[in-house]
Amino acid sequence: MQYKGEAIYHDGICAKANELELSFDIETGELYFEHDNLKKSWAPYSYHFEKRGATLILFNARDYSNFEISDPAFAVPFLQRFDGIAQASFYTRLIRAGFAAHVGLALITLGIIYFMSQHAIPFASEKAVYLIPPSFDDKIGETYYNEFIQFNYVDENKTKLVQKFVDKMELDNKKKIKITVVNSYEVNAFALPSGHVVVYTGILDQMERYEELAALVSHEVSHINKRHSMRALLRELSGQLFFSAILGDVSRFTDILMSNANELKGLSYSRNLETEADREGMKLMRKNKINIVGFQLLFERLSAVTKGAEPPEFLNTHPLSSDRIKAAKKNMYRGEINHELRRIFEEIGMSSEETEDEFSESLKEIQEILENN
Ligand SMILES: [Zn+2]
């Protein structure tokens, strides 16, 4: 759509004022006029404008020509187009910078938004864990747990025994670790921020040695000690949290987290968090003088049984990175046999009935096979 109005034109060469009709295309910002019987046009990025009282001045920096316009038929739509959306001179400059600059700026803006949403915001959100009081971890964990056990069958006897096993270990935990063994074929285990560790009979059935259970427990408890599920939840919800933060609605933060408590089980931790849980877990194994081969054994066994299927939490950086196995190998530590843990593990009912000597002997064999792999 075009707007026309009376204008006074100076051609930049002589001082003569020419009265003529100036048109303006509101879509493109292009100006059209006729001077000395020639049709001329100014592209939108070739001129800039200034308001002097009621007069609008348009300059063309290339040839110093200019227009003075007092006709509201032209000036009003022109100013609405440019001045209205661009109070700040930054924007008026941009508008005059033309199409290429607009596309460039749009791409840069999109790039920044993309980077923020992919990296900066999730990263920042993860750090926001320090702003959330640890008491909230209990609240959200308990909320999820209470719902979870309504739909799952708890094996009371195994729960008691695994709890006994865990209580014999020194786990650097500030929260009481509460074990729940759920009767299910699912090969899985997961930790909740409130200190619950849920272990499925499906994963217990895969184990043959107490070192493996100790590895699983050490890994899951490290997720709790380091508040990983809270960090992963914050990362997952970073988009929503970010927008409620920029809208100044920070009180909605905990509401958003609470209403997503059901995400706690299916959370996938980032590779960094898994690596940290392994590293911290191996430290706990050492502290308890338990052979770190438990980690490696569990990795190998679980990746064999869950091939192609949804991997258990313990392996959820899939495909199970060989880096994790390598790290376990590198941290090799033999420790010593913990008879108490071994006895409890036998009671849970998964281990073979080996004599003490056979048990030590088979561990040596396993260790050798794994080390030579
Ligand atoms: Zn994990």
Side-chain angles (χ1 to χ4, degrees):
M1 181 164 185
Q2 293 206 354
Y3 289 90
K4 290 183 170 70
E6 297 295 322
I8 297 167
Y9 176 64
H10 298 276
D11 64 7
I13 302 162
C14 67
K16 192 181 157 225
N18 306 278
E19 277 194 47
L20 48 75
E21 192 184 56
L22 181 63
S23 309
F24 151 66
D25 187 313
I26 198 152
E27 265 83 55
T28 63
E30 200 145 22
L31 300 177
Y32 303 97
F33 60 98
E34 219 177 295
H35 177 58
D36 280 349
N37 294 320
L38 283 174
K39 282 192 194 314
K40 295 187 172 177
S41 67
W42 284 6
Y45 48 81
S46 65
Y47 65 89
H48 54 113
F49 72 89
E50 203 179 292
K51 281 183 289 179
R52 285 187 197 153
T55 307
L56 174 67
I57 315 286
L58 308 180
F59 295 101
N60 190 323
R62 221 176 297 158
D63 57 9
Y64 305 105
S65 58
N66 62 72
F67 287 102
E68 283 173 36
I69 304 140
S70 309
D71 188 352
F74 182 96
V76 170
F78 182 91
L79 287 172
Q80 269 170 359
R81 161 80 154 78
F82 285 148
D83 214 26
I85 54 167
Q87 287 296 337
S89 64
F90 171 71
Y91 292 108
T92 32
R93 254 182 284 129
L94 269 176
I95 284 162
R96 276 174 242 137
F99 182 70
H102 289 190
V103 171
L105 184 79
L107 287 177
I108 292 169
T109 310
L110 282 175
I112 291 171
I113 292 172
Y114 180 76
F115 177 80
M116 295 278 283
S117 65
Q118 294 297 305
H119 304 283
I121 296 171
F123 179 77
S125 314
E126 227 186 280
K127 299 294 158 206
V129 73
Y130 303 113
L131 302 175
I132 293 180
S135 60
F136 184 74
D137 293 27
D138 294 336
K139 204 174 147 197
I140 193 169
E142 288 304 319
T143 303
Y144 177 73
Y145 179 79
N146 291 332
E147 207 178 294
F148 175 82
I149 49 163
Q150 283 179 31
F151 300 101
N152 287 275
Y153 178 69
V154 177
D155 187 321
E156 301 287 354
N157 185 43
K158 285 186 178 167
T159 295
K160 258 185 229 151
L161 290 168
V162 178
Q163 183 72 55
K164 197 166 144 194
F165 184 98
V166 167
D167 291 343
K168 296 278 179 219
M169 290 179 73
E170 172 53 61
L171 294 165
D172 288 349
N173 53 307
K174 288 188 199 80
K175 276 183 194 192
K176 164 103 182 96
I177 301 300
K178 293 158 279 187
I179 298 290
T180 303
V181 176
V182 162
N183 217 330
S184 162
Y185 289 112
E186 207 180 316
V187 179
N188 205 1
F190 63 93
L192 291 173
S194 46
H196 288 284
V197 175
V198 176
V199 182
Y200 290 75
T201 48
I203 201 168
L204 287 177
D205 291 344
Q206 295 302 322
M207 299 177 188
E208 286 173 24
R209 302 191 62 99
Y210 79 88
E211 292 93 338
E212 297 167 66
L213 179 57
L216 179 75
V217 165
S218 304
H219 175 93
E220 295 301 335
V221 169
S222 298
H223 278 315
I224 296 171
N225 289 351
K226 295 280 172 189
R227 298 180 78 189
H228 283 174
S229 49
M230 217 47 203
R231 287 165 66 172
L233 191 61
L234 286 166
R235 179 179 268 266
E236 192 126 316
L237 300 174
S238 60
Q240 287 183 55
L241 295 174
F242 177 69
F243 285 110
S244 81
I246 52 175
L247 294 173
D249 196 3
V250 180
S251 61
R252 285 237 329 123
F253 247 70
T254 47
D255 291 350
I256 293 173
L257 293 173
M258 264 327 253
S259 59
N260 285 279
N262 59 336
E263 302 261 337
L264 284 172
K265 184 196 164 190
L267 274 182
S268 61
Y269 297 117
S270 67
R271 194 165 282 239
N272 282 347
L273 297 187
E274 287 304 344
T275 308
E276 187 176 46
D278 284 351
R279 195 174 55 234
E280 293 299 311
M282 287 178 210
K283 273 190 211 161
L284 294 177
M285 294 282 272
R286 245 171 224 274
K287 190 167 194 169
N288 290 277
K289 298 194 169 71
I290 299 170
N291 197 320
I292 287 181
V293 79
F295 261 91
Q296 223 182 318
L297 261 177
L298 197 59
F299 280 144
E300 307 265 2
R301 266 203 238 289
L302 296 187
S303 48
V305 289
T306 58
K307 214 167 229 167
E310 192 65 19
E313 189 290 312
F314 190 67
L315 298 186
N316 72 9
T317 60
H318 57 125
L320 170 64
S321 73
S322 50
D323 295 352
R324 289 178 70 187
I325 295 182
K326 269 188 219 147
K329 264 188 191 174
K330 220 173 83 192
N331 275 291
M332 198 38 73
Y333 165 77
R334 287 167 195 263
E336 48 198 55
I337 304 249
N338 185 319
H339 301 285
E340 216 171 2
L341 291 184
R342 191 191 159 202
R343 212 173 42 244
I344 302 168
F345 187 78
E346 266 174 10
E347 264 186 88
I348 302 170
M350 289 98 45
S351 64
S352 52
E353 284 152 15
E354 290 169 317
T355 65
E356 201 74 18
D357 287 346
E358 286 165 348
F359 189 77
S360 311
E361 209 45 51
S362 65
L363 181 63
K364 264 185 218 150
E365 275 169 35
I366 289 168
Q367 190 124 30
E368 265 158 37
I369 293 169
L370 289 176
E371 276 171 25
N372 295 328
N373 250 340

